[in-house]
Amino acid sequence: MAAAGSDGEAAALVAEVDALRLRVQELERENKRLDKIASRCTCGSKDDSASTSPVVSASLCGSNQESKNIKSHCKGHQVGVVSHCPKRLVALKIMYFGQRFYGFASEAHTEPTVESEIFKALERAKLLVGSRKESCYSRCGRTDKGVSATGQVISLFLRSNIKDAGLEEMQKAASKFIGEHDYRNFCKMDAANVSNYRRHITDFNISAYDQRSNYDELWAITIKGSAFLWHQVRCMVAVLFLIGQGLESPCVVDSLLDITKTPRKPQYNMAPEIPLILRSCLFDEVNFLCSSEARIALIEHLKDEYHQYMLQAAIFHEALSCLSFPASYEERVAKIRTKSADSV
């Protein structure tokens, strides 16, 4: 019995040693992998080099797709870049007290610096558009450890809330609708009455309208097709609006038209119904008749309605021009100083 017990303990020890040996081998492989990653790391370099890295993002169609984003290294922290966002060049005037900083410029092994804190703040605010080189980053000067500043200035491209209407992108996406496609992802499903969701679009054009004001410019989207599904036009236009705002790329239309890739319609809001007009319905060998009296009466009625809406628009325009906002504290002080100087 004692011999049997000793044999069992020996076998257990051998098994434990084998397990430890395998664990050591796994750790050695992991160590080699980490060494390779560390050898490619540029976090400590003075040049702001950028490397591409795939970032998974959720698209409108609900499936995950890989889009190449750039990650820049700003002394110890990584910055995710969204390249399609609008941007503009800005100059920032900065005040800082240097007692707790190792100077202004970011250098290796000298945290914190004013520059590194600025980029961390810009990252948290989601304002960065690329690496420092891509953002055309520049500074007026650099200060040493402990030195303060009340008027330091830096400039770089940042994300902007001034959104351009991406008309070219919208027209590019609109052209993808032309032809015969399955539009089940661009309509409200009516399974009780509709089994075929294929429709043929012959023309899809975006053009400037001849009406504009000081505040807005009107554009018209003209769509021609053999037939349309329930809410198909409003759904197509809604996706175009997302593309025009830079929230989606034109390729999302391809994804939504591919029912094997996107078998179910994603959730998104339809375009409003007020601007939508059913312009005409055409039939072969059918001519509609309208008497001259009825035509004249209809024209006069539409003119009256048009003038009424023009009058309402003029009233709202006048209301907008009459709006005044109280002057800021700085403006009031400047006005008082100007009056004082004139009186002297």
Side-chain angles (χ1 to χ4, degrees):
M1 294 293 293
S6 299
D7 292 340
E9 292 177 358
L13 289 173
V14 170
E16 186 174 351
V17 170
D18 291 339
L20 290 173
R21 185 180 294 109
L22 291 175
R23 180 57 179 161
V24 169
Q25 292 174 355
E26 291 176 357
L27 292 174
E28 288 176 347
R29 287 194 296 269
E30 179 68 11
N31 189 42
K32 290 180 180 179
R33 187 183 69 84
L34 294 175
D35 285 341
K36 290 181 180 179
I37 295 175
S39 65
R40 295 194 299 266
C41 181
T42 59
C43 297
S45 63
K46 294 183 179 180
D47 297 332
D48 295 312
S49 59
S51 61
T52 58
S53 174
V55 177
V56 177
S57 61
S59 68
L60 176 68
C61 57
S63 61
N64 289 337
Q65 61 181 15
E66 287 189 350
S67 60
K68 286 190 176 180
N69 279 10
I70 300 172
K71 289 188 177 180
S72 62
H73 301 270
C74 298
K75 187 59 188 73
H77 65 283
Q78 292 182 330
V79 180
V81 177
V82 184
S83 59
H84 67 269
C85 291
K87 62 182 179 181
R88 58 173 170 163
L89 184 64
V90 299
L92 300 177
K93 189 175 183 180
I94 302 167
M95 175 188 293
Y96 56 87
F97 302 97
Q99 290 88 338
R100 70 182 187 91
F101 296 109
Y102 288 90
F104 181 84
S106 297
E107 301 293 345
H109 311 298
T110 56
E111 287 281 1
T113 64
V114 177
E115 201 168 57
S116 65
E117 294 300 308
I118 290 173
F119 274 90
K120 288 178 183 177
L122 294 175
E123 178 188 0
R124 287 194 297 269
K126 309 298 183 184
L127 292 175
L128 293 173
V129 297
S131 66
R132 298 187 192 185
K133 182 178 180 180
E134 293 166 332
S135 301
C136 300
Y137 171 73
S138 65
R139 58 192 178 217
C140 284
R142 51 189 295 170
T143 53
D144 295 331
K145 177 182 177 181
V147 178
S148 302
T150 58
Q152 172 70 285
V153 176
I154 65 172
S155 67
L156 74 168
F157 277 97
L158 295 176
R159 288 181 61 182
S160 172
N161 61 358
I162 301 176
K163 294 185 178 180
D164 299 325
L167 294 173
E168 292 184 3
E169 295 293 291
M170 292 175 66
Q171 185 62 69
K172 180 180 178 181
S175 64
K176 297 177 181 293
F177 288 116
I178 297 177
E180 184 175 330
H181 303 283
D182 190 312
Y183 285 95
R184 67 184 63 199
N185 289 325
F186 291 95
C187 70
K188 186 173 182 179
M189 301 295 286
D190 185 13
N193 300 309
V194 178
S195 59
N196 180 16
Y197 294 93
R198 298 191 68 84
R199 295 294 185 271
H200 187 251
I201 302 296
T202 58
D203 187 43
F204 205 126
N205 184 56
I206 303 174
S207 59
Y209 199 60
D210 59 356
Q211 296 290 331
R212 67 177 62 195
S213 68
N214 294 332
Y215 307 99
D216 294 297
E217 183 177 4
L218 294 180
W219 287 72
I221 300 176
T222 305
I223 308 171
K224 296 180 181 179
S226 58
F228 297 100
L229 296 165
W230 191 13
H231 290 167
Q232 178 184 341
V233 172
R234 293 174 62 186
C235 288
M236 291 190 297
V237 172
V239 174
L240 290 183
F241 285 164
L242 293 174
I243 294 171
Q245 295 169 4
L247 301 176
E248 289 290 344
S249 63
C251 65
V252 74
V253 175
D254 297 317
S255 299
L256 292 175
L257 290 175
D258 187 351
I259 61 172
T260 59
K261 184 177 181 180
T262 313
R264 290 178 296 276
K265 179 188 175 185
Q267 294 293 324
Y268 59 89
N269 295 325
M270 292 189 300
E273 72 279 4
I274 296 299
L276 181 60
I277 303 172
L278 176 58
R279 180 70 179 271
S280 61
C281 299
L282 303 178
F283 300 90
D284 294 334
E285 300 180 358
V286 174
N287 295 318
F288 293 96
L289 301 178
C290 180
S291 66
S292 58
E293 294 82 2
R295 184 186 301 273
I296 293 173
L298 179 59
I299 290 174
E300 292 300 321
H301 171 71
L302 293 178
K303 283 183 177 179
D304 290 340
E305 291 293 317
Y306 179 70
H307 291 153
Q308 290 295 325
Y309 281 109
M310 285 185 64
L311 178 59
Q312 292 185 29
I315 293 172
F316 285 115
H317 183 273
E318 182 66 19
L320 287 171
S321 64
C322 291
L323 285 177
S324 60
F325 298 93
S328 64
Y329 173 77
E330 292 79 5
E331 291 173 338
R332 294 198 300 270
V333 170
K335 188 175 182 180
I336 293 172
R337 288 177 178 174
T338 302
K339 288 183 178 179
S340 300
D342 293 340
S343 61
V344 173

